[in-house]
Amino acid sequence: MLHIEKAIIVEGKYDKNHLRKITDAPIICTHGFQLYRSKQLIQSIRHYARTKGVILLTDSDGAGFRIRRYLKQCIGESGRFFQVYIPAVEGKEKRKERYGKERLLGVEGIPLVTLEELLRPYASEKAEEAVQKVTKADLYRDGLTGGSESALLRKKLIRHLHLPERITTNALLEFLNQQGGYSLYQKALKSIHDRQNG
């Protein structure tokens, strides 16, 4: 499993699911051209680009390159981004009935060993056991689930972490555990409480 702190930007959920098999990196989906209509998504990508850096990993077809150009423009000079290109391989994904317009495999169709080779330069060593995980029980204990004010508190945490507001509770938990685990979670909660009481 490759530990990558930079966020990887892909086009769709099947790309994300495929990458999940080889890396613990934060993975952000553009959902194709829906990216153009989502200010929140752009803000999240800009935040990652300024703090950790982002890896652009779109398909090798025209649409993928169009998304790359748009992201590069949105990120601008203030952010760090790294272009990783999959090979242009003719074929179609197993789940699809027909070939795509350009008859090229997308990220989801590229062998994992190839993706691993492409992403290895961005990986770093990590002591997995040193990171204490956040659990659903922690979220419940701290009022982020199961209470009348839980949705509001989750929203504050999500905003503090510069995440899209539509992120699910499970995805929030996944993000916290990828980015620092319990220590990150506690720091974020403390910042929110300090702001409320200040």
Side-chain angles (χ1 to χ4, degrees):
M1 182 70 71
L2 299 175
H3 173 61
I4 300 175
E5 293 189 356
K6 297 172 180 63
I8 302 174
I9 314 298
V10 296
E11 292 179 51
K13 66 178 182 179
Y14 294 102
D15 300 332
K16 179 177 179 176
N17 293 342
H18 196 47
L19 284 177
R20 271 279 157 262
K21 298 168 187 170
I22 60 164
T23 181
D24 63 355
I27 300 173
I28 300 173
C29 293
T30 69
H31 302 290
F33 295 125
Q34 287 182 34
L35 169 74
Y36 294 2
R37 299 188 296 274
S38 178
K39 288 182 181 177
Q40 273 192 340
L41 186 53
I42 291 296
Q43 285 170 356
S44 292
I45 292 170
R46 281 179 178 150
H47 171 74
Y48 268 108
R50 285 194 303 267
T51 55
K52 305 264 188 183
V54 296
I55 296 168
L56 307 184
L57 186 63
T58 59
D59 295 349
S60 288
D61 58 8
F65 275 82
R66 189 172 151 195
I67 289 169
R68 281 179 189 270
R69 285 193 298 271
Y70 182 72
L71 283 169
K72 185 177 173 184
Q73 184 181 13
C74 290
I75 291 166
E77 299 295 321
S78 62
R80 293 179 305 134
F81 64 91
F82 305 85
Q83 301 270 17
V84 174
Y85 298 95
I86 60 170
V89 178
E90 185 171 327
K92 71 174 184 66
E93 285 76 26
K94 290 178 182 176
R95 68 180 179 86
K96 295 181 179 175
E97 292 182 13
R98 298 186 182 93
Y99 282 88
K101 187 177 178 183
E102 297 179 38
R103 300 181 69 84
L104 296 175
L105 287 176
V107 170
E108 67 171 287
I110 298 297
L112 290 173
V113 65
T114 303
L115 292 172
E116 203 166 356
E117 286 171 13
L118 292 170
L119 293 171
R120 189 170 299 286
Y122 304 96
S124 61
E125 296 299 319
K126 174 185 168 189
E128 291 281 345
E129 62 279 0
V131 178
Q132 182 183 347
K133 301 288 188 185
V134 185
T135 66
K136 287 187 176 180
D138 294 323
L139 298 182
Y140 180 78
R141 182 200 62 226
D142 295 324
L144 279 90
T145 60
S148 58
E149 299 293 315
S150 295
L152 180 62
L153 186 55
R154 267 198 321 277
K155 197 174 206 177
K156 288 178 181 176
L157 178 61
I158 287 164
R159 283 182 179 163
H160 176 79
L161 295 169
H162 303 281
L163 296 169
E165 286 186 17
R166 64 172 49 199
I167 192 170
T168 65
T169 303
N170 284 340
L172 173 62
L173 196 62
E174 181 185 40
F175 171 86
L176 289 166
N177 286 324
Q178 288 166 354
Q179 293 302 301
Y182 194 76
S183 62
L184 170 70
Y185 171 64
Q186 285 299 301
K187 283 178 192 171
L189 281 187
K190 185 178 183 309
S191 297
I192 292 165
H193 290 312
D194 288 348
R195 199 174 302 137
Q196 281 177 337
N197 300 328

